[in-house]
Amino acid sequence: MSTEPTIFERIIAREIPADVVFESETLIAFRDIAPQAPVHLLVVPKTAEYANVVELAAGNPALLAEVVSTAAALAAEHCNGEFRLIFNTGAAAGQTVFHVHAHLLGGALEEGKLAG
Ligand code: 5GP
């Protein structure tokens, strides 16, 4: 757990604006500021306890399942229910924000294209 708030904590706290498409007690989803696909949403647990998906899976598997089911519901709404879900894990893999989040990509994806 980091000591300084990440950009996502600041979005959750509404200290900086974001195009929020979904919010619950536990999750928030908003459009990525630098989209890599026609639909590019970030699905983010509100807790700052987990830096990446491996930590989340170990610490709160039910919350990880909620990220996946929420991504599916958002994909049904935004891109006909078909989507790619990406968790960049580690700086060398392209992770820049160390607060667990799923990239939901959908809509006419280019073959092999990855976020990050
Ligand atoms: P990562 O590289 O950690 O997997 O993903 C971080 C993502 O957050 C990147 O795709 C980046 O474009 C997005 N991002 C970074 N800062 C902001 C911001 O201030 N607002 C929004 N909406 N997205 C952001």
Side-chain angles (χ1 to χ4, degrees), residues 6-23 28-34 40-44:
T6 65
I7 193 95
F8 292 168
E9 280 172 83
R10 300 187 63 206
I11 287 173
I12 291 160
R14 298 298 201 279
E15 287 171 15
I16 59 171
D19 187 352
V20 174
V21 297
F22 172 82
E23 185 163 18
I28 190 167
F30 48 89
R31 292 186 195 279
D32 197 293
I33 204 167
H40 187 169
L41 306 178
L42 298 171
V43 184
V44 185

Side-chain angles (χ1 to χ4, degrees), residues 7-8 11 16-19 30-36 40 42 86-89 94-99 101 103 115-116:
I7 193 95
F8 292 168
I11 287 173
I16 59 171
D19 187 352
F30 48 89
R31 292 186 195 279
D32 197 293
I33 204 167
Q36 306 290 311
H40 187 169
L42 298 171
I86 295 171
F87 295 89
N88 294 328
T89 306
Q95 187 174 6
T96 57
V97 180
F98 293 87
H99 175 135
H101 56 281
H103 294 258

Side-chain angles (χ1 to χ4, degrees), residues 77-96:
E77 191 182 332
H78 292 269
C79 48
N80 297 324
E82 299 194 342
F83 61 99
R84 184 178 291 181
L85 204 58
I86 295 171
F87 295 89
N88 294 328
T89 306
Q95 187 174 6
T96 57

